[in-house]
Amino acid sequence: MYDIGIIGGGTAGLTAAIYAQRAGKQTVILEAMSYGGQITATHKIENYPGIESISGGEFAEGLMSQAKKLGADMKSEKVMKVREERDHKVIETEGNLYECKAVILATGVTHRRLGVQRETQLIGAGVSYCATCDGAFFRGRNVAVIGGGNTALQDVSFLSNYCKKVYLVHRRKEFRGEQHLVELLKEKENVEFVLDATVKELIGEEYIEGVVLNRVGTDETMELQVDGVFVAIGHVPQNDVFEDIVKLDGSGFILAAEDCQTSCPGIFAAGDCRTKEVRQLTTAAADGAVAAIAGCNYLDRMDAR
Ligand code: NAP
């Protein structure tokens, strides 16, 4: 029996493991995709206090190695369900059952899709959700980045270093991302802003050849000839498998208190997967620590009974 089962191996989950292991609790982390989570796709982190600049990959590597060295068990398995037994929880994966005294849900979020025709079909054939992972395939080519948050702005900055031309397509004139990044991009000769525009259609059967854009509030359309479309329009939660055991809000995020306690005693939620105002690397790490401490306190209370 594990003390704490942690579902999700991103910043929140790995931080929770580090805190719990250091408190003498044995954890198991279950991650369905790749350890490190969203942050691995970030080219450069420059807003984590105390670290001036680091790549997302390097940051994630550090977290993983720290959790491993402290003795966390790390499994690559997809969780299908969490259920309650009399005095513990059971995490069901595709092939195994993990018995745990407490559980921390740190499932993060997944990429929001544009929702246009052939988007899924063209993933890997010009459509990408990760500039850091796929950008190198577009050296010397024309690409479009869709979105107006920090991810889109950073993607444009990264791609502009080796793409011929980068269009930044955003549905408004104002940006959600940091203004200083916007100003930096305005200085770049191979970056063009296409504002008040949304993607209407992807052109290309087997591979992306362009995008048709719609001017917001008009019938006007325009076409960009690009070889790649990088979609950076935010994220959506993936908590459906937990809806029977913890309460979710109307958008599918897990409802949890300030100490990360969910509606089910002994189950905590940390990071981007829970209802919160600010979703940042710092808040994911902070949540991981808070959930682990709350989890350890819960275990100590159980032991004292
Ligand atoms: P985000 O901040 O939620 O921005 C999503 C952008 O996509 C918004 O500009 C939004 O437009 C646009 N959008 C949403 N749905 C759309 C649709 N259907 N069609 C067209 N555009 C759409 O997401 P994010 O950029 O991925 O950032 C997520 C969080 O991570 C943020 O808190 C961000 O600051 C943080 N982050 C931090 C770093 C770092 O360096 N530490 C790097 C990347 C991200 P509107 O603005 O009109 O809503």
Side-chain angles (χ1 to χ4, degrees):
M1 169 104 60
Y2 285 97
D3 290 318
I4 305 183
I6 299 171
I7 303 175
T11 300
L14 289 167
T15 306
I18 291 166
Y19 270 73
Q21 289 291 142
R22 284 174 60 87
K25 310 294 182 199
Q26 181 57 54
T27 63
V28 58
I29 315 174
L30 298 150
E31 168 60 57
M33 310 282 279
S34 53
Y35 271 87
Q38 263 187 79
I39 201 61
T40 53
T42 297
H43 166 52
K44 220 191 272 176
I45 302 164
E46 293 182 331
N47 61 0
Y48 197 85
I51 302 175
E52 225 166 88
S53 183
I54 189 170
S55 76
E58 221 181 317
F59 181 84
E61 278 290 334
L63 279 178
M64 279 185 274
S65 130
Q66 209 176 344
K68 211 176 210 164
K69 276 185 193 154
L70 285 163
D73 263 358
M74 295 166 75
K75 312 272 182 193
S76 294
E77 289 178 48
K78 188 174 164 125
V79 172
M80 310 305 289
K81 193 182 168 77
V82 177
R83 61 182 161 80
E84 272 194 294
E85 292 286 314
R86 198 175 55 81
D87 58 352
H88 67 279
K89 323 286 177 215
V90 179
I91 300 174
E92 297 182 15
T93 68
E94 272 167 340
N96 289 305
L97 298 178
Y98 293 91
E99 295 191 311
C100 309
K101 294 177 191 163
V103 170
I104 295 176
L105 305 174
T107 49
V109 283
T110 188
H111 301 288
R112 178 178 283 127
R113 301 277 179 101
L114 287 168
V116 293
Q117 270 190 353
R118 294 204 300 286
E119 183 177 3
T120 306
Q121 178 191 323
L122 290 169
I123 293 173
V127 171
S128 169
Y129 301 83
C130 178
T132 315
C133 322
D134 301 330
F137 299 121
F138 297 86
R139 190 175 291 274
R141 307 267 188 93
N142 296 337
V143 298
V145 174
I146 321 297
N150 275 336
T151 303
L153 298 175
Q154 287 202 343
D155 285 359
V156 173
S157 171
F158 178 67
L159 293 165
S160 68
N161 292 329
Y162 45 86
C163 289
K164 191 167 155 204
K165 173 109 191 183
V166 185
Y167 296 97
L168 172 56
V169 178
H170 178 38
R171 65 182 177 184
R172 293 190 293 142
K173 282 199 176 58
E174 299 76 30
F175 288 91
R176 193 172 288 274
E178 292 173 17
Q179 193 55 36
H180 94 100
L181 284 174
V182 176
E183 298 306 325
L184 282 177
L185 296 181
K186 281 183 184 165
E187 302 293 314
K188 299 213 171 204
E189 277 182 6
N190 63 341
V191 171
E192 184 176 330
F193 287 20
V194 185
L195 304 180
D196 286 330
T198 53
V199 175
K200 186 168 185 247
E201 207 181 304
L202 299 174
I203 309 168
E205 284 302 320
E206 294 191 352
Y207 209 90
I208 280 283
E209 291 165 16
V211 278
V212 179
L213 304 179
N214 177 238
R215 268 293 164 212
V216 173
T218 72
D219 292 334
E220 196 190 322
T221 58
M222 64 179 290
E223 200 176 305
L224 300 178
Q225 287 188 353
V226 290
D227 306 300
V229 175
F230 289 87
V231 182
I233 59 169
H235 300 90
V236 286
Q238 40 194 349
N239 296 321
D240 299 3
V241 294
F242 309 121
E243 67 186 354
D244 292 342
I245 195 152
V246 293
K247 280 191 186 146
L248 307 183
D249 70 13
S251 306
F253 292 99
I254 302 163
L255 289 165
E258 196 51 39
D259 65 354
C260 296
Q261 173 65 63
T262 67
S263 56
C264 177
I267 301 187
F268 303 84
D272 288 2
C273 67
R274 79 174 178 97
T275 305
K276 51 166 42 202
E277 282 295 317
V278 181
R279 292 189 171 84
Q280 291 285 312
L281 189 57
T282 44
T283 59
D287 263 14
V290 171
I293 291 167
C296 292
N297 290 341
Y298 169 83
L299 297 184
D300 292 345
R301 280 197 306 276
M302 287 221 321
D303 284 347
R305 267 192 219 158

